[in-house]
Amino acid sequence: MFAEGGRGGGSGGLNQLSFDPANNKPLQFSSAAGPRVSESPAENGGDLSKKRKRTNIPPDGGRNLSLDSVPMGLPISDPTAWATAMNNLGMAPMGMTGQPLLPDFDPALGMMTGIPPINPMMPGLGIVPPPIPPDMPAVKEIIHCKSCTLFPPNPHLPPPATRERPPGCKTVFVGGLPENGTEQIIMEVFEQCGEVIAIRKSKKNFCHIRFAEEFMVDKALYLSGYRIRLGSSTDKKDTGRLHVDFAQARDDLYEWECKQRMLAREERHRRRLEEERFRPPSPPPVVHYSDHECSIIAEKLKDDTKFSEAVQTLLTWIERGEVNRRTANNFYSMIQSANSHIRRLVNEKATHEKEMEEAKEKFKLALSGILVQFEQIVAVYHSASKQKAWDHFTKAQRKNISVWCKQAEEIRNIHNDELMGIRREEEMEMSDEEIEDPSEMKETEESALVSQVEALKEENDSLRWQLDAYRNEVELLKQEQGKASRDEDTTKEQQLKLLQQALQGMQQHLLKVQDEYKKREAELEKVREDKLKIETLLETLKEQQSLADEEDKERDAIDCQGNESSTSRICACSQEKECPAEKTLSTSPVKSEREALLVGIISTFLHVHPFGASIEYICSYLQRLDSKICTTEVEVLMTRLQHTFKQELSGVGASLEKRWKFCGFDGLKMT
């Protein structure tokens, strides 16, 4: 609520202004000089034509009282005006019947004799007004500016609607401005709310105002609903109803995001400082090696209390690389003194184990004694629950004895289970010690076997490398001898090529014969099917013969003779076709079933070794199956089948090696 200026710019109003929710600071507007102009309630309704100047306070529009004013013309029938006047005079407001009009009257805010009334929101005073109850409506008053006047809205109307407040909002939308309103008038009205950074005015009677701080927006929203009038004009172009609302601006959002990021950075920095404050201190740095420090550490290593610290320093020095020829003896002596502590640690462990065993024995004895006493107590309860003594107890006593007996039995059972568990653990430990002895023997035997296997592997690798070296030397010698007898080699190569071509032709012929053989088999199957069909026809004909006449029988006999002659011809033809197939098979490069088996085994072996294998490797594999197989037999068989196996040279220089490869799939494509 804004205060209305007094007559002639004298004293300010006596009533409180409304509470500012942003920062509890007052909204201050300069009061216009000269006689005050107020409006009647009819003008608040929107009729600007009916107005008149008054020098006294209106019945329900005035809220101020100056010291040099004439006697008040307030009707007694208006309780609100009467209470306001009594309040300004510092008197408790009383009605005509003597009852208090305002129960929450504070006489400290009234007027004392000879002292003008103090307004908490008076310019120059930073007194914060008391909070207004939420159910009490704020009363807005007329605001006078230099170039315009603002009239409050009807208090009975609902408050103006506003949109949701954007984050970091410093910009407001102001609508309903007069058509003749200028930026100076807007600045004059809204600069009282705070520092205005920018005004963006539109031609359609609205503008956007950006303030320096966010709380100033709340002050500007207070003016929403006020009617503005420029000067004393009643023209429509000089009047308007203000509508103030939040506005969404990119600059506000950007500044708000920057502020949030800054707050997040501060929060992270604060958390980091907290973490560093609670972080445990780092260990002291290890000193560098020197002869003096070495002697100190050597003395500390001999002391049991300082041994751990000295060992850590020694470890750091060794990891840093301080050991050299000059300091090796010193480090060795320190390591030796560290080693001497092993016996001490073992003895300490033994003593602790002994103490633990003694403590276990004491605990077991104490537990067994407790169990004996529990058994005695339970025996007392059982004897008391027998018929001789039980009849003499009352019901309450019997109930207590039975409850006590149950509790004692439960506790005894728990302790008994605990004791049995301890004994079981001891038995398990004894059995584990017995089992550990043969397992250790097995582990030693296994480790010995593993070491023997590793030694044999190393010997095998060395022998293999020697064998490869010998092979390379032999092949080099063969190459040197081959250079001397190249002519013989050329003739042999020609002969080999001829033989290979002959073998290839034989293989192709063999494949053709096999294809023909398959075709003949298919034809034989067809003939057999025809024969079966003919036999079925014969059976049907025989049945017909028994039913038909004699002439039909003779004709059927003739037909049967004709069918038999055709089948004999087909059989003769099939036998003639089988004969040349057998002849062609006899000329194949695989002469026996044993050689066919060898070819199959060798082809599968070489198929598994795509990079080829030497003849010795192939023969060693075959000799596992049959020890009578020799290398020459296998090599002759493989050279005979050129389309199935081929020989290639692999390696360079001393590592040249002849390898046989399987090329049966390529041979099928060629044939």
Side-chain angles (χ1 to χ4, degrees), residues 610-630:
F611 296 105
S614 60
I615 191 71
E616 292 86 358
Y617 188 23
I618 296 167
C619 290
S620 66
Y621 178 73
L622 292 172
Q623 283 172 358
R624 292 180 188 174
L625 304 173
D626 188 2
S627 59
K628 296 178 182 179
I629 296 169
C630 60

Side-chain angles (χ1 to χ4, degrees), residues 294 297-304 306-315 318 329-346:
C294 179
I297 295 298
E299 291 296 328
K300 286 183 178 179
L301 285 169
K302 294 175 185 177
D303 190 0
D304 296 342
K306 301 177 181 178
F307 175 74
S308 59
E309 181 184 353
V311 164
Q312 188 64 34
T313 306
L314 177 61
L315 176 62
I318 293 170
N329 293 327
N330 294 333
F331 275 99
Y332 180 75
S333 63
M334 287 190 287
I335 292 167
Q336 191 175 6
S337 60
N339 186 39
S340 64
H341 281 267
I342 293 173
R343 189 180 299 168
R344 177 182 65 83
L345 295 172
V346 171

Side-chain angles (χ1 to χ4, degrees), residues 176-436:
L177 294 170
E179 292 184 14
N180 294 333
T182 60
E183 289 188 8
Q184 293 178 354
I185 295 171
I186 297 168
M187 179 68 76
E188 182 183 345
V189 172
F190 286 95
E191 71 180 353
Q192 305 297 330
C193 302
E195 183 184 355
V196 177
I197 294 174
I199 297 175
R200 295 189 295 273
K201 189 175 182 303
S202 175
K203 296 179 181 179
K204 296 184 178 180
N205 302 334
F206 70 88
C207 69
H208 289 86
I209 303 172
R210 189 162 189 261
F211 293 98
E213 298 295 337
E214 291 185 29
F215 68 88
M216 300 174 184
V217 173
D218 299 317
K219 294 182 178 181
L221 287 174
Y222 179 81
L223 300 176
S224 184
Y226 269 79
R227 287 189 299 105
I228 184 171
R229 185 177 67 189
L230 304 181
S232 58
S233 175
T234 57
D235 192 3
K236 287 187 178 180
K237 293 183 179 182
D238 295 332
T239 59
R241 186 177 294 276
L242 298 180
H243 173 69
V244 186
D245 197 357
F246 299 109
Q248 193 167 3
R250 287 193 296 271
D251 296 341
D252 298 345
L253 183 62
Y254 175 72
E255 288 181 4
W256 181 79
E257 288 175 351
C258 291
K259 188 176 179 182
Q260 294 300 317
R261 284 195 290 270
M262 184 183 69
L263 293 173
R265 282 196 297 271
E266 291 176 356
E267 180 66 20
R268 286 196 299 271
H269 181 66
R270 187 184 62 76
R271 288 181 182 175
R272 197 178 299 114
L273 291 176
E274 288 291 328
E275 290 174 0
E276 289 176 357
R277 191 161 63 86
F278 289 109
R279 188 179 298 161
S282 59
V286 178
V287 296
H288 290 281
Y289 176 81
S290 64
D291 293 336
H292 176 66
E293 294 293 337
C294 179
S295 62
I296 293 170
I297 295 298
E299 291 296 328
K300 286 183 178 179
L301 285 169
K302 294 175 185 177
D303 190 0
D304 296 342
T305 57
K306 301 177 181 178
F307 175 74
S308 59
E309 181 184 353
V311 164
Q312 188 64 34
T313 306
L314 177 61
L315 176 62
T316 307
W317 284 350
I318 293 170
E319 289 178 350
R320 283 179 184 174
E322 300 286 351
V323 183
N324 51 33
R325 288 186 179 180
R326 188 176 64 82
T327 60
N329 293 327
N330 294 333
F331 275 99
Y332 180 75
S333 63
M334 287 190 287
I335 292 167
Q336 191 175 6
S337 60
N339 186 39
S340 64
H341 281 267
I342 293 173
R343 189 180 299 168
R344 177 182 65 83
L345 295 172
V346 171
N347 292 331
E348 283 183 3
K349 183 188 174 186
T351 54
H352 287 308
E353 286 179 351
K354 188 176 179 182
E355 289 175 359
M356 187 176 70
E357 292 294 331
E358 290 176 356
K360 280 185 178 179
E361 288 294 329
K362 287 180 181 178
F363 177 70
K364 202 195 310 181
L365 290 171
L367 194 62
S368 60
I370 290 167
L371 281 172
V372 169
Q373 292 178 11
F374 269 117
E375 291 289 343
Q376 292 172 356
I377 292 167
V378 171
V380 168
Y381 288 140
H382 284 302
S383 62
S385 60
K386 288 181 181 178
Q387 190 71 26
K388 290 180 181 179
W390 192 254
D391 293 337
H392 299 287
F393 294 118
T394 62
K395 288 184 178 180
Q397 291 171 348
R398 290 175 188 174
K399 186 177 181 181
N400 290 333
I401 290 168
S402 60
V403 170
W404 293 339
C405 183
K406 287 180 182 178
Q407 290 177 354
E409 285 178 351
E410 288 176 359
I411 296 168
R412 181 198 62 183
N413 293 333
I414 291 167
H415 284 74
N416 195 7
D417 293 339
E418 191 173 355
L419 184 62
M420 292 299 292
I422 293 167
R423 289 175 180 172
R424 277 196 222 98
E425 287 178 359
E426 289 178 353
E427 290 174 0
M428 291 290 288
E429 287 176 359
M430 293 293 291
S431 62
D432 290 339
E433 289 175 359
E434 292 174 358
I435 291 165
E436 279 174 3

Side-chain angles (χ1 to χ4, degrees), residues 356-610:
M356 187 176 70
E357 292 294 331
E358 290 176 356
K360 280 185 178 179
E361 288 294 329
K362 287 180 181 178
F363 177 70
K364 202 195 310 181
L365 290 171
L367 194 62
S368 60
I370 290 167
L371 281 172
V372 169
Q373 292 178 11
F374 269 117
E375 291 289 343
Q376 292 172 356
I377 292 167
V378 171
V380 168
Y381 288 140
H382 284 302
S383 62
S385 60
K386 288 181 181 178
Q387 190 71 26
K388 290 180 181 179
W390 192 254
D391 293 337
H392 299 287
F393 294 118
T394 62
K395 288 184 178 180
Q397 291 171 348
R398 290 175 188 174
K399 186 177 181 181
N400 290 333
I401 290 168
S402 60
V403 170
W404 293 339
C405 183
K406 287 180 182 178
Q407 290 177 354
E409 285 178 351
E410 288 176 359
I411 296 168
R412 181 198 62 183
N413 293 333
I414 291 167
H415 284 74
N416 195 7
D417 293 339
E418 191 173 355
L419 184 62
M420 292 299 292
I422 293 167
R423 289 175 180 172
R424 277 196 222 98
E425 287 178 359
E426 289 178 353
E427 290 174 0
M428 291 290 288
E429 287 176 359
M430 293 293 291
S431 62
D432 290 339
E433 289 175 359
E434 292 174 358
I435 291 165
E436 279 174 3
D437 296 332
S439 66
E440 288 177 358
M441 293 292 290
K442 287 180 182 178
E443 287 177 358
T444 53
E445 290 176 359
E446 288 177 358
S447 61
L449 289 170
V450 168
S451 61
Q452 289 177 4
V453 168
E454 289 178 353
L456 289 171
K457 281 182 179 179
E458 290 177 358
E459 290 179 2
N460 189 13
D461 293 336
S462 62
L463 290 171
R464 193 182 297 163
W465 294 334
Q466 291 176 6
L467 182 62
D468 292 336
Y470 290 142
R471 279 180 185 170
N472 294 331
E473 289 176 0
V474 169
E475 288 186 356
L476 286 171
L477 291 171
K478 285 180 180 179
Q479 287 178 3
E480 290 175 358
Q481 291 175 1
K483 288 178 182 178
S485 58
R486 280 182 180 177
D487 297 332
E488 294 178 0
D489 290 339
T490 52
T491 56
K492 286 181 180 178
E493 285 177 0
Q494 289 177 359
Q495 289 177 0
L496 285 170
K497 285 180 181 178
L498 291 171
L499 289 169
Q500 287 175 358
Q501 289 175 1
L503 285 169
Q504 288 176 0
M506 291 171 67
Q507 287 175 357
Q508 291 175 1
H509 186 65
L510 177 63
L511 292 170
K512 288 179 182 178
V513 169
Q514 287 177 354
D515 292 336
E516 289 179 358
Y517 180 70
K518 288 178 181 177
K519 289 178 182 178
R520 298 290 169 80
E521 281 184 348
E523 289 178 358
L524 280 171
E525 288 179 357
K526 288 180 181 179
V527 169
R528 285 171 187 167
E529 289 176 358
D530 293 336
K531 191 175 180 181
L532 289 170
K533 289 178 181 178
I534 290 165
E535 285 177 356
T536 53
L537 287 170
L538 284 170
E539 288 177 358
T540 53
L541 288 169
K542 283 178 182 178
E543 289 176 358
Q544 289 176 1
Q545 282 176 0
S546 62
L547 299 172
D549 297 339
E550 292 179 356
E551 293 178 358
D552 294 333
K553 287 180 182 179
E554 291 176 0
R555 291 176 185 173
D556 291 336
I558 293 165
D559 292 334
C560 290
Q561 289 175 1
N563 288 330
E564 287 174 359
S565 62
S566 65
T567 53
S568 62
R569 285 175 188 172
I570 291 164
C571 292
C573 292
S574 63
Q575 288 174 0
E576 288 175 359
K577 289 177 182 176
E578 287 174 359
C579 290
E582 290 175 357
K583 290 176 183 178
T584 55
L585 287 168
S586 62
T587 59
S588 65
V590 182
K591 295 178 181 179
S592 63
E593 187 177 355
R594 186 170 180 274
E595 289 184 354
L597 288 170
L598 284 173
V599 169
I601 294 166
I602 292 165
S603 60
T604 54
F605 179 76
L606 290 176
H607 184 63
V608 175
H609 296 77

Side-chain angles (χ1 to χ4, degrees), residues 638-655:
M638 292 173 74
T639 52
R640 208 188 302 159
L641 300 170
Q642 293 291 328
H643 285 287
T644 308
F645 308 105
K646 66 178 179 180
Q647 192 177 19
E648 291 181 355
L649 287 172
S650 64
V652 179
S655 62

